Amino acid sequence: ASAAPPPPRISPSAAAAAAEAASALETARSAGEALAADPASAADRRRLTKFVTLQVTQVAGTRAQVRAKAGALTGAFASLPPGSPALLYGLHTLAARLAAQCEAQVALHPASAFPLADVAAAVAASHPEFDLLLRARLAAACPLTIPRYQPAAPARLDPDGSLFFAANGYEQVGGGAGGGGQAPPSWESTDAFCGRLRGYALFLGALPAASGAPASWLAAGWAYVARLLNALPPNRATATVLEGFLWSGGAALAAAHGAQFLKVLAVVDGTFLPALLSGPDADDARAVGVRLKAYVHGGGW
C-alpha cells in the first residue's frame, strides 16, 4: 500500500457534529444558488445580502446597539416564510458575515466578540437552525473551531507543505495563479495564521457567554474544550485557540461547572502546557504559553 499523510486529529463526536453542520451548510448554499438563478428572486437576494451585511458591520459594544441590530435581523427573518429558500439564504448570509468579522474585527478588538455573539444568540433563539449554519461557516474558515487539526506529513508526501497548510486553514497570499510574470502565491506566515485563529476562537468562546444563549451553546463550549484537550496535539496553533476560547468563554464555563472547570484548568497546567513548552515548536509557542499560563493562574474566571 502506498504511504499516506497522517490522519487528522479529531474526536469522533467532533467529526459527527462537523458532518451534520456541513450538511446544513450545503443545503443553505443550494438555496442561495436557487435564488440567484431565479430572476424574480435575484433582486430580493441582493437586498437581503446588503441588509444583513450592514447590520453586522454596524454592531457596536453598547447594549442598545446590540438590541437594535438583533431586532432588525430577527424582524427581517420573521418576515420570510418558515423553511423557505430566502430564510435559509438569509441565515447563511448572517453566519458568513459573523465568521468574516472574526478576522476583520475580533482578532483586532477581542472585546467585540461579545456583542457579535449576543446578536447571534438573539437570532438562534428565533431560528434554532442558525446554530448549525454558524458553526459550519466557522469550521469552513477555521478547522480548529471544530476542533480538527491536520498533522504535518513527511516531506516526501507533502514536499511544499500544501496539504498541511490547506487542511489547517492557512491562506495563500501574494503572487498569482501563474503566468503574466507573476510569482505563484505563497502560504501566510504562522504568525498571521495564529492571529486569525485567535479571532475565531474568541468569537467561539463568546457564544456560551452570550446574553440569552441557548443552553446547547454552553454544552457545546464544554465539549469543545474537552475535544481539544483529548484529541489534539499541544502546539502553537492549538494553544492559540485554547487560550482565545478560554479568554472569552472561560467565565461562563466556570460559572456553570465550578469544580469541574478547575479540573480542566489543572489538565491545561499539568499536561497541556508542559507538552507545549517542550514540543518541537516550543520557542514559537512560548508567548501563547505564557498567556495561557497567566489565564490558568490568574483567577479571573
Side-chain angles (χ1 to χ4, degrees):
S2 60
R9 299 287 292 273
I10 182 172
S11 72
S13 60
E20 183 184 12
S23 176
L25 182 58
E26 185 57 37
T27 300
R29 283 175 170 157
S30 297
E33 291 170 0
L35 290 175
D38 179 8
S41 302
D44 291 338
R45 181 182 184 270
R46 288 192 296 271
R47 281 193 292 271
L48 186 55
T49 300
K50 183 177 180 180
F51 173 79
V52 170
T53 300
L54 182 65
Q55 302 310 307
V56 172
T57 55
Q58 289 183 345
V59 172
T62 67
R63 179 57 53 190
Q65 183 77 345
V66 170
R67 282 198 300 266
K69 297 307 172 184
L73 287 163
T74 54
F77 295 147
S79 70
L80 301 173
S84 66
L87 175 59
L88 207 51
Y89 173 75
L91 295 174
H92 175 222
T93 301
L94 175 59
R97 288 310 313 170
L98 288 170
Q101 292 301 102
C102 293
E103 294 185 28
Q105 182 178 357
V106 179
L108 302 175
H109 306 288
S112 66
F114 297 107
L116 291 171
D118 284 350
V119 169
V123 174
S126 301
H127 301 281
E129 66 270 33
F130 175 66
D131 180 31
L132 275 178
L133 293 174
L134 178 59
R135 295 181 189 280
R137 287 299 313 201
L138 292 172
C142 179
L144 274 164
T145 62
I146 296 175
R148 177 187 185 275
Y149 181 78
Q150 176 61 56
R156 71 181 187 280
L157 300 177
D158 190 18
D160 61 358
S162 291
L163 294 177
F164 167 80
F165 291 129
N168 286 314
Y170 279 73
E171 289 186 348
Q172 288 188 308
V173 295
Q182 290 183 313
S186 59
W187 295 101
E188 68 181 330
S189 68
T190 298
D191 284 349
F193 173 63
C194 286
R196 293 191 304 104
L197 275 187
R198 191 166 189 264
Y200 286 101
L202 288 164
F203 177 68
L204 189 68
L207 293 178
S211 176
S216 61
W217 284 13
L218 190 62
W222 185 254
Y224 178 78
V225 175
R227 290 163 177 169
L228 191 153
L229 292 174
N230 289 332
L232 272 59
N235 58 37
R236 183 182 178 185
T238 59
T240 295
V241 293
L242 178 60
E243 185 273 332
F245 183 92
L246 290 175
W247 186 91
S248 56
L253 297 185
H257 295 283
Q260 290 299 111
F261 181 71
L262 296 181
K263 291 180 181 179
V264 167
L265 294 186
V267 171
V268 174
D269 193 39
T271 302
F272 185 91
L273 276 168
L276 172 72
L277 297 176
S278 63
D281 62 349
D283 289 341
D284 290 338
R286 194 162 305 281
V288 67
V290 168
R291 294 199 306 272
L292 191 52
K293 192 171 188 68
Y295 176 85
V296 169
H297 291 275
W301 24 266

